[in-house]
Amino acid sequence: MQRDFNLPNDCSPLIREIFDYWVSIHPDKGLPGRSLFDPLDVLSLSGNIWMLDVEVEPLRFRVRRMGTAVVNFMGNDPTGSYLDEVYPKFESSPIREHLVHAAKTGMPTFRRGNALIVPTKKYVISERIILPMASEGETVDMLLNLTCFLEDSDAEDVEIYGAAQREI
């Protein structure tokens, strides 16, 4: 599955590291589950990692963990909350579209561009990868995400969606 998704060559080393780690724990069939993810394996990335629980009916995203770099950028820690309760415009936001794609297809998404979630910080360029996980291998029940902030980036804006392979 991971062969259907390629990161830009100029993406952040943090994005590359978490993606390579996700690929390394990816089973031959299906998706990696939370039980395969060891935070100690990517400890240096922990401040930029955020994890979401995926609820299918209705499709909602609850923050399981939010790294300190992301909390500091956003100005609040939404751990334990649903994204649609914390961010008033979440339902119509591009981030929701990316999360839904990863949850429904089991494929990663990558984005580089102006920070979307904190409108007062439009000058900041962020890179984000969303990596689906499934405890039973098939139905996505968690999203492993990493966001890094690049204040001095002149890289092009990019959105990459992994090829859809299945629907939930």
Side-chain angles (χ1 to χ4, degrees):
M1 179 178 301
Q2 63 273 12
R3 290 182 291 274
D4 297 330
F5 183 83
N6 295 301
L7 289 170
N9 292 331
D10 63 346
C11 74
S12 163
L14 302 177
I15 296 284
R16 176 77 53 201
E17 186 176 344
I18 195 69
F19 178 72
D20 289 347
Y21 175 74
W22 181 78
V23 169
S24 77
I25 64 169
H26 208 289
D28 291 336
K29 292 179 111 183
L31 291 165
R34 170 63 181 91
S35 64
L36 297 175
F37 174 70
D38 184 350
L40 296 178
D41 290 342
V42 289
L43 191 58
S44 64
L45 305 176
S46 65
N48 297 82
I49 290 175
W50 47 291
M51 299 176 79
L52 300 174
D53 291 323
V54 178
E55 295 181 7
V56 178
E57 295 279 336
L59 186 58
R60 291 183 82 194
F61 305 95
R62 184 190 322 245
V63 179
R64 173 183 284 245
R65 178 200 188 282
M66 188 71 68
T68 55
V70 183
V71 168
N72 291 339
F73 179 80
M74 293 174 25
N76 68 332
D77 184 353
T79 299
S81 302
Y82 287 99
L83 292 179
D84 60 337
E85 293 173 345
V86 178
Y87 304 107
K89 296 182 180 178
F90 176 73
E91 290 299 320
S92 61
S93 71
I95 179 103
R96 183 180 187 284
E97 178 184 329
H98 300 163
L99 295 170
V100 167
H101 178 82
K104 286 190 172 186
T105 66
M107 293 299 296
T109 67
F110 169 85
R111 179 186 184 277
R112 175 175 46 224
N114 286 337
L116 296 174
I117 208 77
V118 183
T120 59
K121 297 185 179 183
K122 288 285 189 195
Y123 63 91
V124 176
I125 301 297
S126 67
E127 285 187 358
R128 180 191 64 240
I129 190 163
I130 300 170
L131 302 165
M133 301 182 82
S135 23
E136 301 298 325
E138 290 297 320
T139 302
V140 175
D141 55 11
M142 182 176 288
L143 297 172
L144 170 63
N145 314 285
L146 185 137
T147 300
C148 52
F149 306 100
L150 317 165
E151 292 193 35
D152 297 322
S153 176
D154 60 354
E156 279 186 43
D157 288 1
V158 176
E159 286 191 15
I160 300 172
Y161 290 83
Q165 294 200 346
R166 67 177 172 281
E167 295 288 324
I168 59 173

